[in-house]
Amino acid sequence: MGLRDRFSNYLLGKAEKRGWFTDNLSGSIRYSGVFLNDENVLESSDVYELMQDISNQMMLAEIIVVDQDGNEIRNHSTLKVLREPNNYLTGSELIKLMTNTYLIDGEVFPILDVDQIHLAANVYTELDDRLVEHYKIGGIKIPSYMIRHIKNMGTNHLRGIGLKQLGKNTLEGVMNAEKVLTDKYKKGGLLAFLLKLDAHINPQNAAQSKLINAILDQLEAIDESRSIKMIPLGKGYMIDTMKSTIEDEKILAYLNVYKKDLGKFLGINVDTYTALTKSDLEKAMMYLHNKAVKPIMKNFEDHLSLLFFGSKSNKRIKFKINILDFVTYSTKTNIGYNIVRTGITSPDNVADMLGFPKQNTPETQAIYISNDLSKIGEKKATDDSLKGGDENDKEKGDQNI
């Protein structure tokens, strides 16, 4: 069956099985990663680290389905699709890839193809005169109910804006500075040599030209910092190393200033974030969560809910994050200790015994048994046993006590 026939059948609802999308558009999906080029933002280690922190929080979040009252719907079929989105990505990888693409490009296009999710690349979008958005990949139209356009909103209603656009100039400067330092030390600091002659260099002097070319050949053959070349010279010749034009201190000072600017394009003040990671990791993760992660979660929730359930459904996809996943073990121990300490001092009689002030409330004055915190005076077994008039029932009630 030809592409046109298959596409027509799909739109008419006659093709129920997956096939059209996977066969015709898989090349635009599976190979949509960021390739090594001058715009590859992940080559900057600081940007990579910040993006890892953001996308890791997204990846570790638990995805649930809730109803209109916020009650969790367990074992919903949508959750299986999100856990196993396709044959080449896990659920965690999908969310991490979605987040990184969203941050770098400013937009990401998840496509739901029956029971599989793909992230499409090279999507062309346009609004018609009724303000309905239409999608095409390689000239092939994608039905709007299959795809969502998740945008990192700037001022353009049709396009999101990402790090490649926002921080392009700053990013290029940082990456060039990093490359200069890396290349310099990769080559052992050897940049150039100056050949000094007592006599003027004469292009017509064959012997002179032959010597210069031989020296150049020797120097160009040095490809590793461990390589050493011995070049014997006659009287009147000398080779000196030129002073490097690359001043490390100035480049490092440049990087210290402008690398921090890259964080602002991700919604983070790097100075604040760095200081918090050193003093209080939990506060640092909460800062990152509130400044960068939470808005992304909300945007993803909105679009994935519409992608799976449509606009008329009361069901909604939610991301649940446990911020304690990002704190140290000692911090968790302290939190547990404080909870236990508070629990121990809750009953007034225990608080008085340990030297803490009484709270003098009905709850703290009640006597509890076991760890179910049930008041003895409110045990239903006791109350029910006294209602019967039958002596045997009373005895049974006494036994229940």
Side-chain angles (χ1 to χ4, degrees), residues 117-187:
I117 306 176
H118 307 273
L119 299 181
N122 304 317
V123 181
Y124 173 76
T125 63
E126 63 179 358
L127 290 179
D128 61 19
D129 54 359
R130 300 180 62 186
L131 301 181
V132 176
E133 190 170 13
H134 297 271
Y135 309 89
K136 289 182 180 180
I137 299 178
I140 302 176
K141 186 176 179 181
I142 311 299
S144 59
Y145 64 85
M146 287 180 60
I147 186 170
R148 294 301 304 179
H149 185 182
I150 307 179
K151 301 176 285 295
N152 184 16
M153 291 302 298
T155 57
N156 190 324
H157 63 281
L158 193 57
R159 288 288 177 189
I161 185 165
L163 184 61
K164 283 201 296 189
Q165 295 80 36
L166 287 170
K168 184 176 177 64
N169 294 333
T170 304
L171 188 62
E172 286 180 349
V174 167
M175 292 180 67
N176 286 333
E178 288 179 334
K179 189 174 188 302
V180 166
L181 284 180
T182 302
D183 287 349
K184 173 184 174 181
Y185 289 100
K186 187 186 293 183
K187 297 176 181 177

Side-chain angles (χ1 to χ4, degrees), residues 363-375:
E363 288 75 20
T364 60
Q365 290 173 353
I367 300 175
Y368 296 90
I369 61 172
S370 187
N371 60 355
D372 61 359
L373 299 181
S374 300
K375 297 179 184 178

Side-chain angles (χ1 to χ4, degrees), residues 40-53:
N40 184 3
V41 299
L42 296 182
E43 285 196 355
S44 173
S45 58
D46 289 57
V47 175
Y48 179 78
E49 183 179 12
L50 286 174
M51 290 186 60
Q52 284 288 94
D53 288 347

Side-chain angles (χ1 to χ4, degrees), residues 24-40:
N24 294 286
L25 300 176
S26 58
S28 299
I29 294 168
R30 296 177 185 173
Y31 310 106
S32 60
V34 180
F35 295 97
L36 295 175
N37 53 47
D38 59 351
E39 289 186 340
N40 184 3

Side-chain angles (χ1 to χ4, degrees), residues 281-338:
L281 188 58
E282 185 180 4
K283 287 183 179 178
M285 292 301 103
M286 285 305 301
Y287 173 81
L288 184 74
H289 180 72
N290 291 324
K291 287 281 289 180
V293 177
K294 200 170 183 179
I296 299 174
M297 287 173 55
K298 179 68 166 61
N299 206 4
F300 281 18
E301 288 172 356
D302 292 343
H303 280 279
L304 290 177
S305 297
L306 289 170
L307 182 64
F308 278 96
F309 307 127
S311 59
K312 297 181 180 180
S313 174
N314 292 323
K315 298 184 182 69
R316 181 173 172 79
I317 289 174
K318 296 283 290 183
F319 285 77
K320 286 175 59 179
I321 194 164
N322 182 6
I323 205 65
L324 293 180
D325 287 338
F326 306 100
V327 302
T328 60
Y329 186 79
S330 60
T331 301
K332 294 178 181 179
T333 304
N334 287 334
I335 293 171
Y337 168 77
N338 290 333

